[in-house]
Amino acid sequence: MISNHQLDRRSFFRNGSLVLLSAAASQSGWNRLDAAERSKEKVLLFGMITDLHHADKPAAGSRYYRETLDKLAKTAEWFGRESLEFVVELGDLVDSAPEVKTELGYLKRINRDFQALHKNRHYVLGNHCVDTLTKDEFLGEVGQKKSYYSFDADPYHFIVLDACFRADGKPYGRKNSQWNDANLTADQLDWLRDDLKTTTRHTVVFIHQRLDVENDYGVKNAKSIRGILEGSNRVLAVFQGHSHKNDHKVISGIHYCTLVAMIEGSGLENSGSALVTAHPDGTLELKGFRKQKDYDWKK
């Protein structure tokens, strides 16, 4: 489909078993329905990126902050070939800065390009997004009213979560937090339970920190959150970032997919983004760009 899509293999999960397909099979299996056909069959297509860490500062280790603008431009070309319903940024759109003015400058610059991707955009808060900035400052700049909420895009229900709270319930901001102390507050847990009761649709969740691990990259009360998701019998998948590497786990029938970070490595080939085709029967097909892996999950 895309000549510069670098892919070695594709993962296909059937009845709990992992089957690896060739690159040729991967490309031939990608859903190429046009917008009219997708609308008729109620097939939904959306894009995702994560961990851009844009900043105007020298590279540090494997993070090349100034290169994310060019990497995002290549993803924009890829996304632009498809008729997307919306795009999602899964957190750490910017990297931390010592001053509010500087970090707002980073955010203004990267968001100028990100908002050009699509009119319907969703921003998931990452720890770096609200390290120096407050949540109100970040959300105000990108034009999003809330840090956690839900929305429908026929025939699916989507939930955006915010784990940028300390264990004591204090929101991240102004250098008051640790990156590995991520939590959902009791109020947000109650909201999540209630929200899931209001829908009969297949549901997909977006979050920055991980819900499938118990290490520093995981949300501290992830087990309780997973229990709510599992109890709804609605949630098909959780898309997350934070740890910068491709990963996938299935826990109690829910797919937890960690997307690769855009920031890692120098050069346009060291990047990643994803397109997801969501079918009415609950089948989700993820097509990866650059370093992002591909997946197919049958309901």
Side-chain angles (χ1 to χ4, degrees):
M1 169 188 159
I2 304 298
S3 61
N4 59 1
H5 172 225
Q6 299 181 352
L7 174 68
D8 293 326
R9 64 183 186 179
R10 185 182 196 182
S11 304
F12 183 82
F13 288 84
R14 179 185 290 130
N15 298 327
S17 298
L18 175 65
V19 180
L20 299 180
L21 302 180
S22 67
S26 171
Q27 292 169 353
S28 66
W30 173 238
N31 188 295
R32 290 297 297 161
L33 296 176
D34 63 23
E37 290 172 319
R38 281 200 297 267
S39 177
K40 181 179 179 180
E41 298 186 20
K42 293 189 176 180
V43 174
L44 181 70
L45 182 64
F46 62 90
M48 294 185 295
I49 57 173
T50 192
D51 291 274
L52 282 72
H53 287 266
H54 169 69
D56 184 13
K57 59 186 182 182
S62 60
R63 299 183 181 186
Y64 290 77
Y65 304 104
R66 290 174 176 146
E67 294 189 20
T68 56
L69 292 173
D70 289 337
K71 292 177 180 180
L72 181 58
K74 287 300 181 183
T75 285
E77 291 177 10
W78 189 48
F79 282 3
R81 297 183 179 116
E82 305 291 344
S83 297
L84 306 182
E85 292 293 325
F86 58 85
V87 295
V88 183
E89 186 275 310
L90 287 172
D92 286 356
L93 181 61
V94 294
D95 204 70
S96 305
E99 300 174 344
V100 172
K101 181 179 179 181
T102 302
E103 192 161 326
L104 276 175
Y106 296 164
L107 181 56
K108 287 177 183 290
R109 178 63 190 90
I110 192 67
N111 192 49
R112 188 173 76 193
D113 291 358
F114 179 67
Q115 68 184 3
L117 294 182
H118 204 279
K119 64 179 180 180
N120 295 326
R121 301 178 305 281
H122 300 276
Y123 299 80
V124 179
L125 287 183
N127 51 296
H128 282 273
C129 297
V130 286
D131 180 66
T132 301
L133 301 180
T134 65
K135 295 185 181 184
D136 285 344
E137 287 168 341
F138 182 95
L139 294 173
E141 181 60 37
V142 302
Q144 183 168 292
K145 293 181 179 180
K146 298 180 179 180
S147 64
Y148 64 90
Y149 59 96
S150 65
F151 64 97
D152 290 336
D154 198 29
Y156 277 70
H157 184 66
F158 296 92
I159 296 175
V160 174
L161 295 178
D162 172 13
C164 291
F165 292 91
R166 303 186 326 199
D168 63 3
K170 297 290 185 181
Y172 289 11
R174 297 290 192 267
K175 305 290 186 182
N176 72 344
S177 60
Q178 294 292 323
W179 69 272
N180 53 0
D181 180 23
N183 303 266
L184 260 64
T185 60
D187 286 348
Q188 190 172 173
L189 292 176
D190 289 341
W191 172 86
L192 179 60
R193 288 189 191 93
D194 291 342
D195 182 82
L196 285 166
K197 291 176 183 176
T198 67
T199 187
T200 59
R201 299 169 182 244
H202 296 309
T203 299
V204 171
V205 175
F206 304 115
I207 189 170
H208 179 65
Q209 296 91 340
R210 296 180 59 168
L211 293 180
D212 60 337
V213 294
E214 308 300 325
N215 58 30
D216 283 345
Y217 292 103
V219 178
K220 297 307 179 187
N221 54 344
K223 186 175 181 180
S224 296
I225 301 164
R226 292 198 305 267
I228 295 172
L229 303 184
E230 293 161 12
S232 73
N233 291 316
R234 302 290 181 199
V235 179
L236 301 176
V238 174
F239 292 108
Q240 52 200 11
H242 196 42
S243 61
H244 288 203
K245 297 180 180 179
N246 284 293
D247 201 1
H248 171 263
K249 301 180 189 299
V250 180
I251 303 175
S252 298
I254 298 175
H255 295 272
Y256 293 83
C257 182
T258 305
L259 301 190
V260 73
M262 187 172 283
I263 183 66
E264 294 289 339
S266 180
L268 295 176
E269 70 278 8
N270 288 305
S271 182
S273 50
L275 289 174
V276 175
T277 303
H279 298 265
D281 66 355
T283 295
L284 296 173
E285 180 184 6
L286 186 152
K287 187 72 171 178
F289 182 64
R290 303 299 196 195
K291 298 293 186 179
Q292 177 58 49
K293 288 186 177 180
D294 286 7
Y295 300 97
D296 268 348
W297 301 317
K298 296 292 184 182
K299 173 67 172 132

